[in-house]
Each structure stands twice: as C-alpha cells, then as structure tokens.
Amino acid sequence: MNLQKYMEMLKAHHIKITPQRLAIIALMDQYGHISVRDIFEKIKEKFPSLSLATVYKNINAMMENRFINELKIVGQDNKYELVKERHSHLICRKCGEIEDVFIDTKDLEMSLPSESGFLVEESSIQFFGLCKKCQS
Amino acid sequence: MNLQKYMEMLKAHHIKITPQRLAIIALMDQYGHISVRDIFEKIKEKFPSLSLATVYKNINAMMENRFINELKIVGQDNKYELVKERHSHLICRKCGEIEDVFIDTKDLEMSLPSESGFLVEESSIQFFGLCKKCQS
DNA sequence: CTGGGTGCAAAGTATTTGCATGAAC
DNA sequence: GTTCATGCAAATACTTTGCACCCAG
C-alpha cells in the first residue's frame, strides 16, 4: 500500500486527511498491530511536533468510524489494527509477535450450547503459543 | 463455597491467608468476573481500611501463582476470575454481562493452517452478542 | 472562509512503588 | 521471632480534555 491508497481509505470513511493520520495508518499497515506508544515513538522520529494527544484522538475517532480495531491481549499493551476481513490472532508467548490467521468460526458458533439462549453476533479468538522462530 | 474452602485454596497455592485476600476471593467466586474497582468498592463497605494498593498487589500476586486469571474485554475494565476448568466467555454487548461457556477447542486448534508453523498451547475465545435478557 | 485537527498543558484515571507498621505462621 | 502483607503517600503510567492556533476542503 501507499499514500494514495491511504488517502482513499480515509476519504471512504469520511475522515479528513492530515499528515498525522496518514502516518498512523501507514504504521498500522506496515506493522499489522501496533501500540499507541510505538506509534508515537516511530512517528516522532520523522515528525517531531506530533503530540501524544493527537495519536489518542485519532485512534478514538478511527475506532468510532470502524476504520481500526482495538486488540486487547493479556500481558501486552493494547494494539490497533486496520479493519479488514474477520480473522483471529496467533500470539507468541515468547517474543510477543502477533500473526493474523483466517479461519471460519461458523462451526464454532454453532457448537455453543443453546440452553443459555445467548445470541452470538461475533467471536474473537486468540491462540497463544510459540511462533515458528521461537520453537527452536 | 465458603471461607473454609477459600482458605484451603490459598494454602494449596502457598499464599498466606489474610482477611483481605479471603474477601477478594469471595467476591471473585460470587461474581465470577469482577474488576479492580468493583472489588475495592464492595470490600470497602465492610472493611473500610482496605487500600487500593493492597487489591492490586494481591491481584498481581495471585496472577503470578496462577490462582486467578485476567480477562481483557474491549469496552470494559479488566476483569479477574478464579482459575478453573478451561472455558470461553459470552459477553453481552448491551448489558455487559459475562457468562462462562464450556466448549471443546481441540477441533478449532486443529483447524489452524499448518503452514505458519505456529504451535498452539491455549486458545481464548470471546463471543460477543446479546444475552437472553437483552434480546427482548 | 470555516470547521475540524493539532499541539500544548493540565486534569483525570489507573497502576506501581517505598516504607513503616502490623499481622500471619 | 521472622517473614511477609497492609496502608498510606508519592511516583509513574495511561488517557482525556480545554483551548488557542492552524490547516484541509
């Protein structure tokens, strides 16, 4: 992806285009999942005037627009990712890496005991274990 | 469950027994999933000298001993629960209620694409939707 | 031009830490 | 008696808010 693409994405969500926002989106796209702190530090290198408050405001705004998702993982800072096709996460307990994995959750949702009467709209799955690198 | 039982549980985990800890465990047992703030406020009613720092210290200690689990849910404060048989959570988007549900995740873990080489040790599933009460 | 975004500072909230006292074993 | 937990206060971390100024549309 490139700047042009990010600009179109923002337009499609009726979010005003600013250099700060483009930088935030570019990082999310590049890293897949990234924390507020890391966004701030990485952008600051090239863009020293950036304020933390701006990062928070933009993240909150983009979450309200369903343009990005929040990811809460035990033992890690909250991460943010661009919204895309539904997926689950593989989380390495050793190095902390997060990988996306695309699996069908229909069967899983159907397998819920029906007596509770709970109506499932969406499921979120995190797999914890060891990534390929950390197994050696 | 009762005091006697809680005391045995602490002993089994080699955690020193104090009234504060018994109160915290009793709340987790009673409510299933509870936040730091709620623990603090509920215990304070009967036990005004309790300090928030003590709640945090005990939660951290009990997590290290794998006596309790942390539960991170988007849109909610972190919750804590007593460790028990593996289970997933049903989370109501309207009222916020959290229910435990016991499902087998073996098939799910086997269904992961193998090319990533990720070795799964455990999976954590959250189902979001509407509880029985909130569907009406 | 005009509205919304930005940066800064301050406030608010959450969590951790150090230390003196006190309770558990 | 010794070890470790507690409570308090202070420190740190995280997040939000208000406001003056500035930029994108």
Side-chain angles (χ1 to χ4, degrees), chain B residues 5-61:
Chain B
K5 179 74 182 170
Y6 301 142
M7 291 172 71
E8 282 162 19
M9 290 164 73
L10 286 176
K11 275 182 195 161
H13 286 258
H14 307 98
I15 303 174
K16 199 183 268 188
I17 294 170
T18 68
Q20 291 87 341
R21 287 179 178 165
L22 289 171
I24 291 172
I25 296 175
L27 283 176
M28 288 188 187
D29 186 35
Q30 179 184 354
Y31 288 94
H33 319 85
I34 187 167
S35 67
V36 168
R37 180 78 22 199
D38 287 347
I39 289 171
F40 180 63
E41 284 171 2
K42 285 185 192 303
I43 298 183
K44 216 145 207 264
E45 294 168 7
K46 298 266 172 178
F47 202 150
S49 74
L50 179 83
S51 125
L52 235 199
T54 296
V55 178
Y56 278 108
K57 284 171 187 166
N58 280 324
I59 283 180
N60 288 336

Side-chain angles (χ1 to χ4, degrees), chain A residues 47-120:
Chain A
F47 202 149
S49 74
L50 179 81
S51 125
L52 236 198
T54 297
V55 178
Y56 277 107
K57 284 171 188 167
N58 280 324
I59 282 182
N60 288 336
M62 293 193 280
M63 280 202 293
E64 281 173 12
N65 286 349
R66 297 170 194 281
F67 183 68
I68 65 174
N69 271 331
E70 188 174 54
L71 201 51
K72 291 189 163 191
I73 300 175
V74 169
Q76 297 195 9
D77 290 344
N78 288 352
K79 298 289 191 307
Y80 299 87
E81 62 179 0
L82 299 177
V83 167
K84 56 191 161 188
E85 193 186 340
R86 288 217 183 295
H87 59 278
S88 302
H89 293 107
L90 305 175
I91 301 155
C92 181
R93 282 202 160 119
K94 194 157 170 212
C95 71
E97 265 302 303
I98 305 169
E99 296 172 53
D100 290 344
V101 63
F102 298 83
I103 59 179
D104 185 14
T105 60
K106 284 286 185 309
D107 290 352
L108 181 69
E109 290 168 13
M110 299 306 290
S111 77
L112 285 179
S114 57
E115 69 266 20
S116 78
F118 192 92
L119 177 67
V120 174

Side-chain angles (χ1 to χ4, degrees), chain B residues 32-120:
Chain B
H33 319 85
I34 187 167
S35 67
V36 168
R37 180 78 22 199
D38 287 347
I39 289 171
F40 180 63
E41 284 171 2
K42 285 185 192 303
I43 298 183
K44 216 145 207 264
E45 294 168 7
K46 298 266 172 178
F47 202 150
S49 74
L50 179 83
S51 125
L52 235 199
T54 296
V55 178
Y56 278 108
K57 284 171 187 166
N58 280 324
I59 283 180
N60 288 336
M62 292 193 280
M63 281 202 291
E64 280 173 12
N65 286 348
R66 298 171 192 281
F67 184 69
I68 66 175
N69 272 331
E70 189 175 53
L71 202 49
K72 290 188 163 192
I73 300 174
V74 169
Q76 297 195 9
D77 290 344
N78 289 352
K79 299 289 192 304
Y80 299 87
E81 63 179 359
L82 299 177
V83 166
K84 56 189 163 188
E85 193 185 342
R86 287 215 183 298
H87 59 278
S88 302
H89 293 107
L90 305 175
I91 300 155
C92 181
R93 282 203 161 115
K94 193 157 172 215
C95 71
E97 265 301 304
I98 305 169
E99 296 172 52
D100 291 343
V101 63
F102 298 84
I103 58 179
D104 186 16
T105 60
K106 284 287 185 311
D107 290 351
L108 182 69
E109 291 168 12
M110 300 305 290
S111 77
L112 284 180
S114 57
E115 69 266 19
S116 78
F118 193 92
L119 177 68
V120 174

Side-chain angles (χ1 to χ4, degrees), chain A residues 4-68:
Chain A
Q4 198 53 48
K5 177 74 183 168
Y6 301 142
M7 291 172 71
E8 282 162 18
M9 291 165 73
L10 285 175
K11 276 182 196 161
H13 284 258
H14 307 99
I15 304 174
K16 198 183 270 188
I17 294 171
T18 68
Q20 290 87 341
R21 287 177 179 167
L22 289 172
I24 292 172
I25 296 175
L27 284 176
M28 288 187 187
D29 186 35
Q30 178 183 353
Y31 288 93
H33 319 84
I34 188 167
S35 67
V36 169
R37 179 86 10 207
D38 286 347
I39 289 171
F40 181 64
E41 285 172 1
K42 285 184 192 303
I43 298 183
K44 219 152 204 251
E45 294 167 7
K46 298 266 172 179
F47 202 149
S49 74
L50 179 81
S51 125
L52 236 198
T54 297
V55 178
Y56 277 107
K57 284 171 188 167
N58 280 324
I59 282 182
N60 288 336
M62 293 193 280
M63 280 202 293
E64 281 173 12
N65 286 349
R66 297 170 194 281
F67 183 68
I68 65 174

